[in-house]
Amino acid sequence: MRVRFFSVSGSSAADLSLPDDIVLLHGEELDERGESACGCAPKDARVMLSFGVEDMSLTVGGETKPSDLAVELLSGYDWRKVFLEATTLGFAELFCAANALLASGATTVNIIYVEPGEYTRVSKGADQFALSEPTRGYVAIPNAIVDLSSEEVEAGVFFLGFEPERLDRALEEYQMITSKDVKLVFGIPAYHPGWELDAIIPHLPALEQHKLQLDYCSANDPEAAFECLERTRDALGTDRRMFVAPIGPKPCGIASAIFASVYPEQVGLLFDHPRRKQKRSTGVDLWHRFTVTVDRGDDAAPTATAG
Amino acid sequence: MQINASMLARTRAEEHDADVWGEFFIPPYFDRLALTTATKSAYITGKRGCGKTMLLKYFDYHTAFSKRRKDIPADAIDHIGIYWRVDTQFCSSLKHRGIEDTEWSVVFESYFGLVIATELLRAVEAIANSSFPNFNSDDLAALTLPSAADYLDDAPTGVRQLVQYLESIRRKFTTWVSNVKAMDCPVLPPGRDFILSLVGDLRAKASLATLSVFVYVDEIENLVPYQRHVLNSFLKHSQRPLIINFTSKEHPSNNDTSGPESINATHDYRLVDLDYYLELSGAAMPFFAEVFLGNLDIAAGRFDSELLDVVCSHARLAERQKPQYQREVVADMRTRFPDVTDKQIAANALQVQTLKESLYRRISKALKDRRSNLAVEDFLFEGAPAEALVTLPALLNRETLLPDNVLAELKKFSKNRKGSFESTWIHNNLFGAILELYRPFARECPLYSGFDTLCTMSNNNLRNFLILCYKTLEVAELRDQIEPPYAVDIQCRAAYDASEQLIKEIRTFGRFGEQLRVFVLRLGSIFRALQASPAMSEPEQNQFTINSGGRPLQGDELAFIAEALRHGVLVEQLETKSKSGVGQDIVDYQLNPIYAPYFQISYRRKRKLEISVEQFHMLIMGNENEYRDLARGLARQLSDTDALQLGLLLS
């Protein structure tokens, strides 16, 4: 299997060379960049997705089913035309959609992501960010479920962002994690110089307290994140699994969604489903179009290749 | 002394391996547990940080049949402990998804069987590799388990092969759980019967004839209801050789089984409340001292120290219960963590120019506010006792006391140690007055020092106690004063740091985590503001009771209180005297005293704030403006300047 990432970036949707017959799968438009991102497709070409945390259901347009049946829910959409709008989609929806498309035979997944001008802080000049509402916590996502109490899960990767409580809560509620080979990944370089400190500093207490390894990958490069995950997967023993907790930058979430989709036997997801706050960011910065191709045609060693 | 600091950072059992032989400190209530000789189930409860996980690891087979354990008695197999910490997010996925609970229930039983059977076989391997006298690796190789094939086609009969086989089924099972609609469920063994059959096979071997399995299911409260019911059924029918026990942060709340019966504490299980057992033992202080000193030995590499031997040996528990021994170990800690009397703190404070000036300024202001003709100098006569002077700002601000009378009392006290200062004023006000004196100089109030104080602030919680101690070591190292005794200012700074860290941790306390954290910040701020009121008529408030209002507490409010108690954010107390004098209060809630240093409030259980249901609602669920209005209303004696400084008013 070969997974390749191609990316195009620009200052507006026009720079991404989007086709006219696009079908945009999107989430809630919570802020300016979300509205802009959804605005790249005409209203009648937009389809809203949402994951029901309480019952692990997926709603596509007006239709709701167990998310195990995501393939059925998305069967009416031609994967060649579908674009996943990752700015507004939550991670669970992003994974369900990408996984369903790939399971239905898609060889390409197109994704749009728009960086914010600025993330919203709790108050002016504060260290903390106001990105998420309190949530129910870690809930499994069908098709990528993992049993952390099992010894077969021997490694894990956390992609970290600005909210240290999300890692803290995982380590508190799933204390068996500390006996595994766990890697914390920070997005470096960050979207903007200096933002990496906003991610690292609040996580320092957890780093001091637990024996965890550190790694880095560019915050807005899914390919780098994918390679980072591959490094952990390469080190897995026979019949062993790993988990990925994408609780950081969305491009790392994109990589995680693709990674869990292409290696379902080895990879599970750990995710806490934050309810993202209204106005969680301001402004619009770089636009990205990521095209991921998955070639299952040969038995070559899985690799991620830059486009 | 060279110590490995990372060893001391391990205040959580999870940081230790599954085998904790030689690292587990036998708690004083150990014999009372009687888990290894039990004939029915136990429901073990204990708050976070009470040592529950470490205890369960000690009873788990990894430790009981540790390679490091030299002499394992022949009856050790009467109790093969299996500690199972469930992955709650995985278990929660065994619900919904187009499958009925009744079907999931069968699946969950099988999952339980698969996990426990595999662990049981691993335990048998561990037994063979340990110093257990009657079963070695040759016996293991010769052992056959024919029953497995009755349930699972092609199941091998050898222990090692069967473990691999079951692991393979578990992998297939996990894959199926992940993809329930895309593939068929693998053939799974039935739950309890499968385990019992394997136990039967094992018992056929003479040296394993008395083998009994004790499963300790942790985090039972976080399983979905039908899973609780399945396990409750198992618990109800527990008897040797298979006994299912539960462990939890909270007392039993869901007693239904998957059948028509329910479980109860009289017939079906024994409630083992570890926090209560420790309190009842009356030996929390010496035990905390032993754990700290023992960990110091481990961190310094003194693994063969006498203390470690005493503390880790069950056989030597009786030695530790002798008063002489306990006095010595506590005295050692009191030497390392010295305290200062309140009176001495007051005297020391008046030697510090900034504190002295602040005190004089406040006395002067109080006199002015009371329109008194007296001047601050009138009170500062030769020999005026510091412990009385420090309380003057509060006393002089009280409308009920005339400044001239206060001065007369001060003179009387100074002369012959008699009068109101001697009888009540110092006793009631000195502690609060010191807190208030130091408040502007945040973080290092000397009241938060001394081994006894550390124990009080820990509120019987071992982890909190250790964090206070280790923070002290950290601060001492930063200030280049590594050797004990640790100076009072070092201890106080450490108490503040520990308190701050533990407040941050509240965010991780379940689904209400962030709400609980905000609640603690609000409540603590209110107590601080009440303490800062000039007359300090109710010093040392750090509890509240909800005893008025136009309606009873509602579901979400009760759930919030339950969650706060469960995580030890609040401590439920028997009622203290209410102001109204009518015994209508149901219960008092004390803000966990571990948070006191952060707010510079009292850690002692003294006075409470009486609030209404509506005020409580505002406290836990109100927005920032509503909270500020509430706080301002409760602390109405504060000047606007103070209220602004304390964050109760917006600038």
Side-chain angles (χ1 to χ4, degrees):
Chain A
M1 188 184 308
R2 171 173 286 197
V3 180
R4 305 172 75 185
F5 288 81
F6 300 88
S7 67
V8 179
S9 301
S11 57
S12 71
D15 295 332
L16 304 186
S17 313
L18 300 174
D20 293 334
D21 56 353
I22 183 173
V23 175
L24 192 73
L25 303 187
H26 68 94
E28 268 189 283
E29 299 162 38
L30 299 165
D31 45 19
E32 189 184 344
R33 64 177 173 138
E35 287 163 14
S36 300
C38 289
C40 74
K43 276 200 169 155
D44 59 0
R46 298 183 209 165
V47 181
M48 174 110 159
L49 259 64
S50 70
F51 181 81
V53 180
E54 293 297 324
D55 58 359
M56 290 165 280
S57 63
L58 185 68
T59 304
V60 177
E63 195 181 4
T64 302
K65 287 188 176 183
S67 72
D68 291 275
L69 299 174
V71 171
E72 271 181 44
L73 283 165
L74 290 168
S75 61
Y77 303 98
D78 182 352
W79 57 264
R80 292 167 195 84
K81 297 178 183 172
V82 166
F83 275 69
L84 307 181
E85 204 303 287
T87 321
T88 52
L89 285 174
F91 174 74
E93 292 89 348
L94 184 65
F95 166 74
C96 289
N99 186 57
L101 294 175
L102 288 168
S104 335
T107 54
T108 302
V109 181
N110 280 299
I111 301 162
I112 294 169
Y113 178 67
V114 183
E115 292 181 23
E118 194 71 60
Y119 281 112
T120 308
R121 291 177 187 264
V122 173
S123 57
K124 206 176 170 185
D127 293 335
Q128 291 173 319
F129 291 85
L131 308 182
S132 313
E133 305 279 2
T135 66
R136 178 175 156 188
Y138 287 85
V139 172
I141 306 174
N143 299 124
I145 295 174
V146 64
D147 181 356
L148 297 170
S149 69
S150 165
E151 284 179 18
E152 74 169 328
V153 180
E154 67 175 15
V157 176
F158 283 90
F159 287 108
L160 300 179
F162 297 155
E163 299 167 292
E165 61 275 18
R166 298 175 72 180
L167 173 69
D168 291 341
R169 190 162 171 192
L171 294 173
E172 172 66 29
E173 292 182 3
Y174 304 99
Q175 297 181 351
M176 58 288 257
I177 287 176
T178 49
S179 65
K180 304 183 190 295
D181 193 8
V182 174
K183 189 160 82 175
L184 306 184
V185 185
F186 290 102
I188 295 176
Y191 295 168
H192 292 288
W195 285 19
E196 65 280 355
L197 290 179
D198 289 324
I200 294 172
I201 290 170
H203 285 98
L204 287 177
L207 290 174
E208 277 171 23
Q209 205 173 351
H210 305 279
K211 294 169 286 184
L212 305 165
Q213 304 162 55
L214 283 186
D215 204 347
Y216 308 94
C217 75
S218 175
N220 62 8
D221 184 356
E223 186 191 5
F226 195 92
E227 284 169 356
C228 182
L229 291 168
E230 280 286 19
R231 286 197 289 277
T232 297
R233 198 183 72 87
D234 283 346
L236 290 178
T238 315
D239 291 332
R240 299 289 157 168
R241 295 182 203 239
M242 60 183 280
F243 71 86
V244 183
I247 53 176
K250 190 56 76 63
C252 297
I254 293 170
S256 306
I258 300 291
F259 190 72
S261 301
V262 298
Y263 300 118
E265 298 280 331
Q266 286 179 290
V267 180
L269 295 166
L270 184 64
F271 192 64
D272 58 351
H273 309 270
R275 280 190 296 128
R276 294 175 303 151
K277 281 194 171 175
Q278 291 282 344
K279 310 282 178 214
R280 64 200 300 273
S281 75
T282 52
V284 175
D285 202 352
L286 269 186
W287 288 64
H288 302 277
R289 170 183 170 172
F290 301 116
T291 302
V292 188
T293 65
V294 178
D295 180 2
R296 296 186 175 90
D298 58 54
D299 293 323
T303 49
T305 313
Chain B
M1 178 180 57
Q2 277 297 315
I3 60 165
N4 178 351
S6 70
M7 299 290 284
L8 291 181
R10 299 197 304 177
T11 53
R12 288 162 182 264
E14 289 67 35
E15 307 290 334
H16 292 259
D17 292 332
D19 174 4
V20 295
W21 186 256
E23 296 167 42
F24 175 68
F25 303 137
I26 308 287
Y29 53 75
F30 191 85
D31 286 337
R32 202 184 162 95
L33 296 170
L35 293 178
T36 55
T37 52
T39 51
K40 69 174 180 182
S41 302
Y43 195 119
I44 303 171
T45 69
K47 293 267 186 311
R48 185 172 177 274
C50 75
K52 179 167 46 89
T53 305
M54 204 65 180
L55 181 81
L56 295 168
K57 284 191 170 187
Y58 181 75
F59 282 111
D60 180 77
Y61 72 87
H62 289 91
T63 303
F65 298 97
S66 163
K67 283 184 180 167
R68 289 185 280 166
R69 188 174 178 187
K70 291 191 184 93
D71 300 305
I72 301 179
D75 65 1
I77 53 154
D78 296 0
H79 177 280
I80 296 187
I82 294 174
Y83 169 51
W84 185 36
R85 178 152 186 142
V86 292
D87 172 357
T88 49
Q89 58 98 39
F90 178 75
C91 287
S92 301
S93 77
L94 308 180
K95 190 163 171 64
H96 301 298
R97 306 173 68 193
I99 296 175
E100 293 298 319
D101 275 4
T102 46
E103 281 180 66
W104 276 127
S105 186
V106 176
V107 169
F108 181 73
E109 276 191 53
S110 293
Y111 170 57
F112 175 81
L114 202 52
V115 171
I116 302 306
T118 312
E119 283 299 302
L120 170 60
L121 298 180
R122 285 190 186 134
V124 173
E125 289 183 311
I127 294 169
N129 294 326
S130 74
S131 64
F132 179 70
N134 306 320
F135 190 78
N136 59 29
S137 52
D138 293 336
D139 296 321
L140 179 72
L143 193 65
T144 58
L145 303 160
S147 296
D150 296 344
Y151 301 94
L152 301 160
D153 289 342
D154 308 324
T157 54
V159 173
R160 285 193 184 120
Q161 296 78 3
L162 189 53
V163 168
Q164 286 171 1
Y165 180 79
L166 294 177
E167 282 174 345
S168 160
I169 295 183
R170 187 167 177 188
R171 271 195 299 280
K172 287 178 194 150
F173 172 70
T174 309
T175 306
W176 172 75
V177 169
S178 191
N179 306 284
V180 289
K181 294 292 177 190
M183 57 192 290
D184 293 329
C185 182
V187 176
L188 299 169
R192 200 166 160 270
D193 290 346
F194 182 62
I195 302 167
L196 282 169
S197 296
L198 292 182
V199 171
D201 286 349
L202 293 166
R203 283 186 152 208
K205 172 94 184 155
S207 55
L208 304 179
T210 58
L211 179 150
S212 288
V213 182
F214 285 68
V215 180
Y216 297 92
V217 186
D218 199 2
E219 293 267 322
I220 188 78
E221 72 274 26
N222 289 327
L223 290 174
V224 295
Y226 85 80
Q227 294 165 358
R228 285 290 299 271
H229 301 161
V230 167
L231 292 176
N232 282 350
S233 293
F234 288 176
L235 179 138
K236 188 166 184 72
H237 299 113
S238 281
Q239 58 179 6
R240 282 175 181 265
L242 176 60
I243 294 189
I244 311 299
N245 306 276
F246 295 162
T247 77
S248 170
K249 288 191 191 76
E250 62 189 17
H251 281 206
S253 56
N254 185 338
N255 291 323
D256 293 341
T257 66
S258 44
E261 313 148 315
S262 62
I263 55 168
N264 70 64
T266 318
H267 297 108
D268 302 314
Y269 60 84
R270 191 163 62 93
L271 186 65
V272 176
D273 182 336
L274 298 180
D275 296 309
Y276 178 63
Y277 277 20
L278 181 64
E279 200 182 325
L280 213 60
S281 75
M285 278 178 78
F287 179 55
F288 285 8
E290 289 172 327
V291 174
F292 173 73
L293 296 169
N295 277 327
L296 272 192
D297 280 351
I298 290 173
R302 293 191 296 264
F303 299 107
D304 53 358
S305 78
E306 170 65 8
L307 177 79
L308 279 178
D309 188 59
V310 174
V311 181
C312 296
S313 311
H314 180 206
R316 300 185 70 177
L317 186 57
E319 288 175 45
R320 293 162 55 202
Q321 283 159 348
K322 291 183 179 154
Q324 175 64 21
Y325 169 87
Q326 295 193 344
R327 271 197 300 274
E328 280 171 17
V329 79
V330 167
D332 185 353
M333 286 299 275
R334 284 183 178 144
T335 313
R336 287 166 189 267
F337 295 88
D339 64 359
V340 190
T341 63
D342 301 352
K343 194 174 152 185
Q344 189 60 46
I345 291 173
N348 293 348
L350 295 189
Q351 302 301 313
V352 179
Q353 193 60 26
T354 45
L355 291 174
K356 192 162 71 177
E357 282 170 8
S358 163
L359 178 70
Y360 294 174
R361 207 167 37 245
R362 287 168 54 224
I363 294 173
S364 188
K365 181 171 185 310
L367 291 169
K368 196 172 153 204
D369 290 348
R370 298 294 303 280
R371 300 175 200 283
S372 169
N373 292 326
L374 294 169
V376 64
E377 289 74 18
D378 296 322
F379 293 82
L380 304 177
F381 52 85
E382 180 75 24
E387 67 270 29
L389 289 176
V390 167
T391 63
L392 286 176
L395 299 173
L396 291 172
N397 267 301
R398 289 181 194 165
E399 295 293 336
T400 50
L401 298 174
L402 292 172
D404 291 298
N405 290 352
V406 173
L407 180 59
E409 286 288 345
L410 183 66
K411 286 183 173 161
K412 195 194 297 182
F413 180 62
S414 169
K415 196 173 168 191
N416 54 19
R417 303 278 147 181
K418 289 239 163 67
S420 297
F421 274 103
E422 194 277 332
S423 61
T424 52
W425 287 354
I426 289 176
H427 179 263
N428 287 345
N429 298 297
L430 180 57
F431 200 94
I434 292 171
L435 286 169
E436 198 40 29
L437 184 60
Y438 276 88
R439 185 172 55 81
F441 306 92
R443 298 180 184 183
E444 286 184 21
C445 174
L447 287 172
Y448 304 113
S449 64
F451 173 61
D452 296 61
T453 301
L454 298 192
C455 289
T456 307
M457 288 194 292
S458 314
N459 191 40
N460 255 0
N461 185 290
L462 181 57
R463 179 166 181 260
N464 288 353
F465 171 77
L466 291 176
I467 289 176
L468 284 167
C469 293
Y470 298 157
K471 282 280 174 202
T472 306
L473 266 57
E474 257 178 59
V475 177
E477 193 178 348
L478 280 173
R479 296 188 181 178
D480 212 10
Q481 297 171 35
I482 299 169
E483 294 300 327
Y486 303 109
V488 166
D489 60 329
I490 288 176
Q491 294 182 59
C492 301
R493 176 57 202 237
Y496 178 89
D497 289 352
S499 186
E500 187 185 33
Q501 176 190 322
L502 289 165
I503 286 174
K504 277 188 187 153
E505 269 187 30
I506 300 172
R507 285 186 307 208
T508 67
F509 292 177
R511 61 187 306 186
F512 290 121
E514 182 56 20
Q515 255 178 292
L516 287 170
R517 191 181 71 91
V518 170
F519 166 68
V520 166
L521 291 175
R522 289 178 171 187
L523 189 61
S525 299
I526 287 174
F527 288 142
R528 180 170 58 188
L530 289 169
Q531 179 189 279
S533 73
M536 214 173 60
S537 48
E538 294 280 326
E540 297 187 62
Q541 278 176 311
N542 57 9
Q543 304 174 85
F544 70 91
T545 191
I546 307 163
N547 62 358
S548 60
R551 61 173 174 82
L553 287 166
Q554 287 168 349
D556 51 351
E557 293 154 352
L558 291 166
F560 188 88
I561 293 175
E563 199 70 0
L565 291 171
R566 181 176 164 222
H567 290 285
V569 162
L570 291 179
V571 184
E572 208 169 21
Q573 302 282 13
L574 289 175
E575 186 191 349
T576 45
K577 204 174 74 179
S578 74
K579 234 179 357 184
S580 61
V582 181
Q584 59 185 338
D585 307 347
I586 301 163
V587 70
D588 293 345
Y589 300 104
Q590 184 186 5
L591 179 65
N592 191 321
I594 194 67
Y595 305 129
Y598 182 80
F599 299 106
Q600 298 128 36
I601 59 175
S602 175
Y603 50 82
R604 308 192 303 184
R605 191 175 162 234
K606 289 283 175 186
R607 290 178 183 77
K608 66 183 169 189
L609 171 69
E610 297 180 23
I611 57 174
S612 69
V613 174
E614 291 81 4
Q615 286 174 319
F616 178 68
H617 183 87
M618 227 43 102
L619 192 58
I620 62 173
M621 293 176 194
N623 63 32
E624 276 303 290
N625 288 339
E626 289 166 334
Y627 154 69
R628 282 205 177 84
D629 287 348
L630 167 71
R632 192 71 187 96
L634 291 170
R636 54 190 168 275
Q637 289 184 338
L638 275 188
S639 69
D640 282 353
T641 318
D642 284 336
L644 192 66
Q645 196 195 10
L646 290 165
L648 305 189
L649 275 182
L650 286 175
S651 50

